[in-house]
Amino acid sequence: MANAQDASISVVQTQAFADQQPGTSGLRKSVGRFQEAHYLENFLQSLFDTVPGLAGETLVIGGDGRFYNTTAIQTALRMAAANGVARVLVGRHGILSTPAASCVIRKNKAEGGIIFSASHNPGGPEGDFGVKFNHRNGGPAPEAITEAIFAASQGITEYKIIETEDVDLSRLHGTQLGEMTVQVIDPVADYADLMESLFDFERIRDLLFRDDFSLCFDALHAVTGPYAEEILGRRLGARSSGLINCQPKEDFGGGHPDPNPVYATGLIERMGEPEGATFGAASDGDGDRNMVMGRNFFVAPSDSLAVLAANARLVPAYEAGLAGVARSMPTSQAVDRVAKQLGISCFETPTGWKFFGNLLDAGKITLCGEESAGTGSNHVREKDGLWAVLFWLNIVARLGQTVEAILRDHWLTFGRDYYTRHDFEGLDKGKADDLMAGLRESLPRLEGQSFAGQTVAWADDFAYTDPVDGSVTAKQGIRIGLTGGGRIVYRLSGTGTAGATLRVYMEDYEGNPDRHDLDTQERLAQIIRAAHEIAKIQAFTGRDQPTVVT
Ligand code: G1P
Ligand code: ZN
């Protein structure tokens, strides 16, 4: 084998794989699929062929540390060198959380970044793997690019790679791979500095020392462990006993790295103890999602976005106010009410972070978020788990109230948007497609019809025209407005790796403060029934109950 400096380029013959179309967030498949000969290489070559600007420029590479991460990174390094990339910045041990990768791309003016992650999907040899491409602005590549990569993957016949030994990823150093420079960087430092520049660390430090306040952050054995230890631990002084599961593991310790009350069991247990924490938080596999809770009190992500928007001026970075906000279409309308009161625009985008990029770049919005535990701002071009936790800590420090009290005050001011998402996982793909086709076909007839006592006021198939570049993205989910003000949304997941998942999102507004304490499922029971009837869920799928309720 040649040494790193004079490595020769091999051109390897290959055949296309039909299933390389990126979904909501990159190409996500089982580890087994990615381990098939040429599978990863084909996709990466399609990427290098589609984004020619990478040659001669800087590329950032990292991942969430799951099984197959470092193998994939070594392949990506060899292929980047063979495809003329001038310089790669790669995280030590192959680690870069998704928001940290976005930060590093922007800070170093890189041409783009490759992030290996399947987000909150389980990891390990039997789990999932994924690859995402972020472009120059640090955000997920827009659909025009991901579609072009897919098109290239369908006609691929060969890929380029250099023959060389592995790059040592275990220490910070610089090296050459053929003509290309590789810099192994600290995955945490730039991101931690950015966080320190946005928030009032002094006040948060004081908060963490208060007797009546106690923090528990659960990294779920995923990528945010080292970030939490540096930022919450070393820079803010959080006790190490309050930082749990911070050792990243290839299989996330056998868990499901999705920050919600179902999977963050360590956190829920800790919060339930008599002397338990008063503020709890968790993040997902690649560090872009967040969950925030008070004692026995879970903050719904849609509400979280609204609270952050309403209190943004308490945070140094957003003191001057917000340019505008955006939420993905299925996210509840709680933030719309805040935007209205603040007199700023509120954009409704399709599901997936890539749709926020143009709005952020154009300065039309400052904050944005999704119901699926994602919140972010113009500080990077990804949703950002720890950023959201710090934002909350900053607000709690400024208001001197508990998480629950902050939410209750918010509902008093704006009213409460009861919200739930029901997922029907593991459906037969054909049946799920038939259900959606049936809904689309019924659209023209729905208006004025009643289901379980709910009357349809309007219904459509959500299409989005990007206000910045004019691109149109159609068929993004069926929306149904009810005469009482409630709303139902249906769409199929674009991140699964087997079968199909139907997501049904339901919400209703409650202005009466005496009714802000109801059980969400009970409060929405009628709308849930209507949602089942309208889409004929049982008839199409054979299911009368969802698999996951959030
Ligand atoms: C899911 C979420 C979506 C999020 C994406 C990536 O996508 O619903 O909000 O952007 O994961 O984290 P879905 O599976 O619904 O296509
Ligand atoms: Zn994620």
Side-chain angles (χ1 to χ4, degrees):
M1 188 170 281
N3 76 26
Q5 277 75 19
D6 51 46
S8 61
I9 297 176
S10 300
V11 177
V12 181
Q13 302 303 309
T14 186
Q15 281 181 340
F17 293 92
D19 65 346
Q20 296 205 320
Q21 182 158 34
T24 312
S25 184
L27 180 70
R28 209 175 280 186
K29 301 286 170 197
S30 66
V31 166
R33 187 68 169 147
F34 268 102
Q35 285 173 322
E36 284 176 39
H38 311 316
Y39 192 84
L40 173 64
E41 290 86 345
N42 274 19
F43 188 75
L44 292 177
Q45 187 61 51
S46 306
L47 196 166
F48 288 119
D49 289 343
T50 307
V51 193
L54 294 174
E57 296 290 341
T58 299
L59 179 68
V60 173
I61 299 182
D64 63 14
R66 68 178 60 224
F67 180 78
Y68 208 57
N69 188 43
T70 47
T71 311
I73 287 179
Q74 297 291 354
T75 301
L77 286 169
R78 290 191 177 99
M79 291 187 66
N83 282 280
V85 171
R87 183 170 76 126
V88 166
L89 305 176
V90 58
R92 185 180 43 210
H93 301 303
I95 292 284
L96 272 178
S97 77
T98 290
S102 185
C103 162
V104 171
I105 292 169
R106 292 166 66 79
K107 185 164 178 182
N108 294 280
K109 304 209 170 5
E111 242 336 88
I114 296 174
I115 307 169
F116 292 104
S117 168
S119 189
H120 51 285
N121 292 21
E126 307 301 320
D128 287 337
F129 194 71
V131 46
K132 309 190 276 187
F133 177 65
N134 284 26
H135 68 158
R136 203 182 301 124
N137 74 347
E143 282 210 323
I145 295 183
T146 54
E147 285 303 313
I149 294 173
F150 175 57
S153 79
Q154 296 311 286
I156 194 167
T157 55
E158 58 185 38
Y159 63 83
K160 285 189 274 185
I161 189 161
I162 64 168
E163 308 278 340
T164 155
E165 56 216 46
D166 282 356
V167 171
D168 176 7
L169 296 175
S170 69
R171 62 192 173 90
L172 305 180
H173 69 121
T175 185
Q176 284 293 122
L177 208 55
E179 307 269 291
M180 183 176 87
T181 305
V182 178
Q183 200 69 45
V184 180
I185 60 165
D186 180 335
V188 177
D190 287 342
Y191 176 82
D193 290 348
L194 176 61
M195 293 302 115
E196 200 160 351
S197 75
L198 300 174
F199 299 105
D200 191 339
F201 269 37
E202 235 166 86
R203 273 182 197 264
I204 299 177
R205 214 174 286 127
D206 291 347
L207 173 72
L208 294 181
F209 278 109
R210 265 175 34 190
D211 287 342
D212 60 347
F213 184 88
S214 141
L215 165 79
C216 182
F217 176 79
D218 188 349
L220 296 169
H221 288 302
V223 80
T224 49
Y227 294 86
E229 282 173 340
E230 171 64 22
I231 299 168
L232 299 172
R234 273 184 288 279
R235 299 198 187 195
L236 288 166
R239 279 188 288 274
S240 59
S241 59
L243 306 178
I244 63 173
N245 301 321
C246 283
Q247 181 63 37
K249 295 192 176 160
E250 286 201 331
D251 65 347
F252 308 117
H256 196 133
D258 200 0
N260 62 46
V262 181
Y263 296 123
T265 46
L267 174 67
I268 302 295
E269 226 170 79
R270 193 64 83 84
M271 303 280 303
E273 288 166 4
E275 297 297 301
T278 57
F279 182 103
S283 189
D284 73 328
D286 61 331
D288 57 0
R289 293 188 174 195
N290 76 89
M291 171 174 98
V292 165
M293 57 187 296
R295 230 170 140 59
N296 301 316
F297 191 87
F298 171 71
V299 182
S302 295
D303 277 347
S304 181
L305 175 63
V307 169
L308 299 193
N311 294 285
R313 280 178 183 271
L314 301 178
V315 172
Y318 313 104
E319 237 164 38
L322 305 174
V325 292
R327 61 164 171 84
S328 67
M329 180 272 279
T331 303
S332 97
Q333 296 164 75
V335 73
D336 304 38
R337 300 179 207 289
V338 176
K340 196 166 172 214
Q341 202 207 55
L342 294 174
I344 57 176
S345 327
C346 178
F347 296 87
E348 184 177 36
T349 59
T351 296
W353 209 260
K354 58 189 169 221
F355 295 100
F356 295 131
N358 276 351
L359 297 170
L360 290 163
D361 284 350
K364 289 185 179 294
I365 60 169
T366 312
L367 291 191
C368 45
E370 296 192 276
E371 51 68 41
S372 53
T375 352
S377 87
N378 57 357
H379 69 289
V380 288
R381 292 294 180 273
E382 286 280 4
K383 54 184 178 261
D384 191 341
L386 268 172
W387 166 90
V389 175
L390 291 165
F391 203 133
W392 264 98
L393 287 171
N394 200 145
I395 292 177
V396 170
R398 283 294 300 272
L399 295 177
Q401 285 177 297
T402 64
V403 171
E404 178 169 352
I406 292 172
L407 252 298
R408 293 201 177 281
D409 275 2
H410 186 90
W411 293 334
L412 266 184
T413 309
F414 297 97
R416 178 172 180 185
D417 291 88
Y418 279 96
Y419 183 84
T420 188
R421 183 177 103 187
H422 288 197
D423 292 337
F424 297 79
E425 297 176 330
L427 299 179
D428 175 82
K429 173 111 178 48
K431 288 180 182 162
D433 287 341
D434 288 349
L435 179 147
M436 290 302 289
L439 264 173
R440 289 202 162 91
E441 192 264 329
S442 73
L443 277 178
R445 297 187 304 276
L446 284 179
E447 197 186 311
Q449 279 196 60
S450 290
F451 302 85
Q454 303 287 315
T455 306
V456 176
W458 57 271
D460 70 2
D461 190 352
F462 182 58
Y464 177 66
T465 304
D466 187 302
V468 179
D469 66 16
S471 60
V472 177
T473 310
K475 292 194 167 180
Q476 292 302 300
I478 302 298
R479 298 190 296 185
I480 294 181
L482 302 168
T483 49
R487 190 178 74 141
I488 304 169
V489 172
Y490 306 87
R491 58 179 286 280
L492 298 183
S493 160
T495 57
T497 56
T501 294
L502 169 69
R503 302 203 196 283
V504 186
Y505 312 77
M506 290 150 293
E507 68 183 282
D508 202 11
Y509 178 70
E510 181 59 73
N512 179 356
D514 295 337
R515 294 174 55 80
H516 284 170
D517 232 346
L518 306 178
D519 174 82
T520 298
Q521 301 304 314
E522 280 170 25
R523 174 63 180 73
L524 297 176
Q526 292 274 85
I527 294 182
I528 293 168
R529 265 200 297 281
H532 276 257
E533 281 185 26
I534 293 171
K536 304 187 181 69
I537 292 177
Q538 182 156 20
F540 277 106
T541 69
R543 308 269 183 89
D544 61 356
Q545 292 297 326
T547 28
V548 181
V549 173
T550 43

